Amino acid sequence: PEVISVRELAEKMGEDPNKLISDLIALGKFVTINQAIDFETVSKLVEKYGKVAKLEGAEEESEALLEKELEETEDRPEDLKPRPPVVTVMGHVDHGKTTLLDYIRNTKVAEREAGGITQHIGASVVEVETSEGKKKITFLDTPGHEAFTAMRARGAQITDIAILVVAADDGVMPQTIEAINHAQAAGVPIIVAINKIDKPGANPDRVKQELTQHGLIPEDWGGTTIMVPVSAKTGEGVDELLEMIALQAELMELKANPNKKARGVVLEAKLDKQRGPVATLLIQSGTLKVGDPIVAGLYSGKIRAMFDDKGKPVKEAGPSMAVEILGLEDVPLAGDKFYVVKDEKTARKIAEKRQELARESALEKEKRVSLEDLFAQI
Ligand code: GDP
Ligand code: MG
């Protein structure tokens, strides 16, 4: 459903409507200034301007409906089991976020499916050897910032720990500060990876000094922020960084109940020509199983197949795991929440109700669309 006219959106953004019209053409939408565009298109458009669109109203109402259907009771303490941390990598452009994630993925992710295509599902699960045995860490990658901001706009949180990458030859830059602010606003603990220490011009102490001015005091200077010098290129220090993440997670005592219907967040979703709607889900609580009836955003479905971050088919997945699923009727948005419900009929009913609410709130359109600044890009 259409939610806002190009003219009104341009006003809200403080941009030239003609500029938006050409952006829309680039997105394959041919519209005039007075024409209204749908929420998904608004989301894609404003993202180019570092904003995230939020549709107010519909979410809250359908949430209430879901809560009733789910009849969720509070977890008993004895049902809560330790879960891996969900980690995001942030920092200034070119400071090495992608290189670091690639290094971790390529060297630390246990073997991939033989002969299988290495697919990128937007998250990687890494196993780290610690003094207390093997520990898992879930890294959000492509495009982690999208899910992060979309979630923020929807008022939920997916990240437990933020890794702030700062290049030792460049120091604290605008997006470094932005990342610190975002993480602190979300109450997410920061671990600093002082990167590129292999470079001749690297000066880790200067980075520490600069970070101090932004409230991050390194442990070895009497503060509480863990800072690990690394090279995403040579891999130096990466093991220590992973250990520190595991340690931090241990301190946080992250827990979830694996013995109930799964719920969590859509990290990515797309329409695949062969396979239909494909979504990557981050499970936040419960265990997701093949065959489960599910609601994700505005759509329902039944899990037809499920793959882990290595592309391996799996029958079930527990808290903090990311899986790619098939079986949704349509493509949800990144940041949408998902819920397993008792049967397909219920899933359809909730999805229909949500679509109806979305249409209704679309009628009240421009009041309902609000914009928020996007998170620093990965
Ligand atoms: P991003 O924008 O933060 O994702 O940064 P990238 O990972 O794309 O890295 C930007 C550039 O820095 C690339 O050319 C990388 O090869 C290089 N780079 C990243 N990490 C290191 C490192 O530890 N050492 C060196 N020498 N170069 C690095
Ligand atoms: Mg990058």
Side-chain angles (χ1 to χ4, degrees):
E2 283 71 42
V3 291
I4 191 167
S5 74
V6 175
R7 185 194 300 280
E8 285 151 346
L9 182 62
E11 260 167 41
K12 235 183 229 292
M13 296 170 72
E15 294 289 340
D16 179 0
N18 290 316
K19 191 149 172 277
L20 297 193
I21 288 172
S22 42
D23 289 335
L24 284 163
I25 292 172
L27 289 172
K29 306 269 173 188
F30 297 87
V31 291
T32 60
I33 185 162
N34 291 316
Q35 225 169 316
I37 49 179
D38 63 88
F39 183 66
E40 214 168 318
T41 306
V42 172
S43 300
K44 281 188 197 142
L45 177 64
V46 303
E47 202 191 300
K48 291 172 74 173
Y49 291 83
K51 306 242 178 249
V52 62
K54 182 178 170 182
L55 196 57
E56 285 156 1
E59 192 82 5
E60 287 79 0
E61 277 177 73
S62 51
E63 217 63 47
L65 177 86
L66 255 169
E67 292 303 330
K68 221 179 81 207
E69 279 298 336
L70 294 170
E71 291 167 7
E72 177 138 3
T73 48
E74 217 172 294
D75 293 313
R76 292 175 305 175
E78 61 266 38
D79 293 333
L80 294 173
K81 302 281 180 278
R83 64 168 180 87
V86 178
V87 176
T88 321
V89 178
M90 320 183 295
H92 197 73
V93 66
D94 284 344
H95 278 198
K97 300 177 292 295
T98 302
T99 310
L100 180 63
L101 274 171
D102 284 347
Y103 182 87
I104 292 171
R105 236 195 324 268
N106 294 334
T107 56
K108 304 294 166 190
V109 173
E111 99 294 355
R112 290 173 190 275
E113 195 60 350
I117 315 153
T118 304
Q119 49 185 12
H120 222 211
I121 72 162
S124 323
V125 182
V126 165
E127 222 169 45
V128 189
E129 195 70 59
T130 71
S131 50
E132 288 175 56
K134 283 196 162 84
K135 301 278 177 198
K136 286 192 167 92
I137 301 171
T138 298
F139 282 92
L140 301 184
D141 39 33
T142 44
H145 67 281
E146 255 176 43
F148 201 119
T149 33
M151 279 316 291
R152 228 161 46 88
R154 287 165 175 77
Q157 189 149 306
I158 53 173
T159 313
D160 299 307
I161 298 170
I163 305 305
L164 178 67
V165 177
V166 189
D169 62 340
D170 202 25
V172 170
M173 298 300 277
Q175 286 165 25
T176 314
I177 299 166
E178 206 176 295
I180 294 171
N181 291 340
H182 277 298
Q184 285 179 341
V188 175
I190 296 171
I191 293 177
V192 179
I194 302 177
N195 191 31
K196 307 200 187 186
I197 52 161
D198 61 289
K199 288 185 97 171
N203 187 348
D205 271 349
R206 199 193 77 191
V207 173
K208 287 185 185 176
Q209 180 60 49
E210 290 172 352
L211 286 170
T212 303
Q213 289 159 21
H214 297 280
L216 300 182
I217 323 282
E219 279 187 312
D220 47 334
W221 291 5
T224 55
T225 307
I226 302 167
M227 299 193 186
V228 188
V230 300
S231 167
K233 197 172 181 180
T234 68
E236 190 185 343
V238 174
D239 279 336
E240 197 193 335
L241 175 68
L242 293 173
E243 237 177 275
M244 288 301 158
I245 297 169
L247 196 73
Q248 173 70 37
E250 202 73 41
L251 291 174
M252 292 168 84
E253 297 185 358
L254 304 168
K255 287 183 173 146
N257 179 0
N259 297 311
K260 60 178 186 182
K261 293 189 187 77
R263 54 161 81 191
V265 192
V266 177
L267 292 179
E268 292 179 13
K270 59 172 193 263
L271 187 62
D272 184 287
K273 280 200 190 84
Q274 272 93 47
R275 304 185 295 167
V278 178
T280 297
L281 307 181
L282 175 72
I283 298 148
Q284 294 186 293
S285 64
T287 295
L288 187 65
K289 299 177 178 131
V290 170
D292 275 347
I294 187 174
V295 178
L298 297 180
Y299 306 112
S300 67
K302 181 178 174 166
I303 311 266
R304 198 149 47 78
M306 199 153 86
F307 306 89
D308 69 9
D309 59 309
K310 287 114 201 153
K312 191 175 128 208
V314 287
K315 288 264 176 283
E316 54 177 65
S320 297
M321 293 296 109
V323 284
E324 193 178 64
I325 61 135
L326 306 182
L328 283 171
E329 57 172 335
D330 208 331
V331 183
L333 291 171
D336 276 342
K337 291 175 194 159
F338 79 83
Y339 306 83
V340 170
V341 295
K342 61 175 185 284
D343 50 37
E344 278 183 273
K345 195 168 145 246
T346 306
R348 265 197 305 276
K349 191 175 95 187
I350 295 173
E352 276 163 19
K353 183 72 187 165
R354 294 187 132 192
Q355 286 167 27
E356 188 190 312
L357 288 165
R359 273 193 298 273
E360 275 171 25
S361 69
L363 293 175
E364 296 170 50
K365 48 186 186 177
E366 64 279 7
K367 281 180 241 90
R368 297 286 193 155
V369 180
S370 68
L371 303 176
E372 253 186 54
D373 285 330
L374 245 190
F375 202 60
Q377 301 218 339
I378 283 234

